[in-house]
Amino acid sequence: MPSVLAPETAPESILMRARRLGLVTSRLPALDQGGEALQLAPVAVEDLLLRPSAKIDYGRLESFVRGTSAVVTGGGGSIGAEICERLVAFGVARLLVIENSEPALHAVIEALATRKPGASIDGRIADIRDRERIMRLVKEFKPDILFHAAALKHVPLLERDWDEGVKTNVFGSVNVADAALAAGARAMVMISTDKAIEPISVLGATKRFAEMYCQALDAEMAWRAPAPDGGSASRAPMRLIAVRFGNVLASNGSVVPKFKAQIEAGGPVTVTHPDMVRYFMTIREACDLVVTAASHALGPSRSDVAVYVLNMGQPVKIVDLAERIIRLSGLEPGRDIEIVFTGVRPGERLHEILFAREEPVSEIGVSGVVAARPVAPSLETMRAWLGELEQALRREERGSIYRVLRDAVPDFRKEAV
């Protein structure tokens, strides 16, 4: 039962004994899980998250999503696919999945079909860096809301392939935001990261830059908004928001699948540093809260909140997580499976940050979500920086790219080496 899997009940002892006896453990879903079928499911590590999950108002989400049309970019990735699944569960009428990986797109479309959805679901192969194609696809579909999950997000790889990070995370996000606006969408929701706060990596800096563009465009839309006495035909301005959160358990590229594979291979389990700490959420909780943030942004009274931060609870030491996964496999750390420390990788820091030093934070009255109000330059300034980035990319000038990112994101102090 779900209550048995709560951290305070220490479910590891039951699961370890079952594993050693060769028994398969299964769980029942909670009755308020918002559309999940009442059937047994395998117990996964993410069911044993080291923090209480936020209380989700599923009635709110169903009333917000039901009957709408939505686009999800990066819909074949871990986050994108789960957002698609949740939108279908909440009653979306039309769904367009955009993905540049053919196998990933096929997999998510097939998975959604097994749910026998009432929604009309379509999938298109496209790269968000292809501005003309993204503009055309989104404009033809005419979504009510667009969830932008497509991104490059592997920190060490982007430290090396920095230009690819700029092309996808900056210019790709600009293309998606502009496409949503041109298509007349009510909102665009960009999936961001806690690494965008006081960034020390290319991933963090490019994600923060994309956040700032969305903020600037959102402020521009508010400025253009019709007067309150504009009549019943007046349409509310489009909202552009970003939602930040940390690591997602069991997502592609996360430590949980990596640790599982290392354990199955007989070890060792590799951890970068004994003091490495991260915030974790389950995919389901993160995506439900992303939709919750969107419902707040499109609430009856327009809010000036353009950046939302999910409540990540208490940070978790990676080495503690590794030890827990080893024990849940019926083994003992240090005896059956060794843990080896390999050193901090380029662009990583030991502790992630949820809010910048100069960033006002406020409660919005929604469980699991708070608002951040970072300073954002004007849309004119953002477009000038985009022009400089474009020229620097064309000339392959890494130093110029970093200079523009430092100008735009003052906390980013990295130099090209």
Side-chain angles (χ1 to χ4, degrees):
M1 299 293 290
S3 58
V4 179
L5 297 175
E8 59 269 18
T9 65
E12 291 96 330
S13 59
I14 297 174
L15 296 172
M16 286 172 61
R17 289 170 63 191
R19 177 74 178 233
R20 288 167 180 165
L21 292 170
L23 301 176
V24 176
T25 54
S26 300
R27 65 169 179 85
L28 281 171
L31 297 180
D32 62 350
Q33 284 293 293
E36 185 176 5
L38 293 177
Q39 59 187 20
L40 292 173
V43 176
V45 172
E46 50 267 34
D47 296 316
L48 306 171
L49 187 64
L50 302 178
R51 52 180 286 276
S53 296
K55 185 68 174 177
I56 308 294
D57 184 350
Y58 288 106
R60 171 187 183 134
L61 300 190
E62 289 175 1
S63 63
F64 173 66
V65 171
R66 188 166 302 281
T68 62
S69 59
V71 169
V72 179
T73 70
S78 302
I79 299 297
E82 182 69 15
I83 289 176
C84 290
E85 195 276 338
R86 300 311 281 158
L87 292 176
V88 168
F90 297 142
V92 71
R94 298 166 55 238
L95 176 64
L96 175 63
V97 185
I98 294 178
E99 171 60 55
N100 72 344
S101 165
E102 182 186 41
L105 179 62
H106 175 73
V108 70
I109 295 298
E110 289 292 296
L112 292 173
T114 63
R115 295 184 58 87
K116 298 180 176 58
S120 170
I121 300 173
D122 191 15
R124 303 299 296 271
I125 300 172
D127 191 327
I128 60 171
R129 304 196 306 201
D130 185 340
R131 182 176 177 88
E132 290 184 6
R133 179 160 175 77
I134 292 298
M135 294 289 287
R136 184 172 66 255
L137 286 177
V138 176
K139 199 168 185 178
E140 289 174 354
F141 188 78
K142 294 182 174 60
D144 295 309
I145 187 166
L146 186 152
F147 292 90
H148 175 41
L152 295 177
K153 47 201 171 194
H154 194 283
V155 171
L157 291 182
L158 291 190
E159 291 303 293
R160 183 179 61 192
D161 293 326
W162 47 270
D163 48 347
E164 295 300 300
V166 174
K167 291 173 187 175
T168 296
N169 295 350
V170 173
F171 286 98
S173 297
V174 168
N175 293 341
V176 171
D178 290 350
L181 179 61
R186 295 176 59 213
M188 175 226 177
V189 181
M190 184 188 116
I191 304 300
S192 191
T193 171
D194 54 2
K195 295 173 177 62
I197 306 156
E198 299 181 10
I200 65 168
S201 64
V202 171
L203 168 62
T206 54
K207 279 294 205 176
R208 179 65 190 120
F209 193 103
E211 281 186 8
M212 291 163 62
Y213 182 81
C214 290
Q215 281 179 269
L217 198 52
D218 185 70
E220 180 79 3
M221 292 303 99
W223 183 77
R224 293 183 189 175
D229 59 352
S232 58
S234 296
R235 179 186 172 98
M238 176 184 171
R239 293 303 321 272
L240 295 100
I241 67 170
V243 182
R244 295 179 191 156
F245 50 91
N247 297 271
V248 175
L249 283 170
S251 64
N252 295 334
S254 75
V255 295
V256 173
K258 175 183 174 182
F259 289 165
K260 285 181 178 178
Q262 290 176 333
I263 292 167
E264 289 173 3
V269 168
T270 57
V271 177
T272 55
H273 192 282
D275 296 325
M276 184 69 70
V277 170
R278 290 292 181 268
Y279 293 91
F280 285 98
M281 304 185 84
T282 64
I283 293 179
R284 172 65 55 84
E285 182 184 11
C287 292
D288 285 349
L289 289 175
V290 165
V291 180
T292 299
S295 71
H296 179 270
L298 287 174
S301 59
R302 181 187 169 100
S303 165
D304 62 347
V305 178
V307 178
Y308 293 81
V309 182
L310 304 190
N311 182 358
M312 302 297 296
Q314 295 299 313
V316 177
K317 291 186 72 172
I318 301 299
V319 67
D320 291 345
L321 183 63
E323 291 176 352
R324 192 169 194 184
I325 295 174
I326 292 170
R327 291 193 176 98
L328 289 172
S329 301
L331 304 169
E332 280 298 324
R335 186 187 70 188
D336 302 313
I337 298 289
E338 292 294 329
I339 295 178
V340 175
F341 297 104
T342 57
V344 178
R345 300 174 298 178
E348 286 187 327
R349 54 187 171 200
L350 292 181
H351 302 267
E352 294 296 357
I353 306 169
L354 290 184
F355 302 100
R357 288 185 296 270
E358 304 301 324
E359 193 170 69
V361 180
S362 63
E363 297 290 337
I364 60 172
V366 177
S367 174
V369 185
V370 295
R373 290 187 170 84
V375 176
S378 68
L379 189 59
E380 182 182 6
T381 301
M382 294 302 305
R383 285 175 172 158
W385 280 327
L386 284 168
E388 293 180 39
L389 284 177
E390 189 172 23
Q391 293 178 17
L393 277 175
R394 194 177 299 117
R395 295 191 297 263
E396 298 183 353
E397 294 177 352
R398 185 178 184 180
S400 297
I401 292 283
Y402 279 39
R403 177 186 57 76
V404 176
L405 291 176
R406 288 195 304 270
D407 288 345
V409 187
D411 290 327
F412 182 62
R413 296 300 179 190
K414 184 175 288 294
E415 299 285 344
V417 292

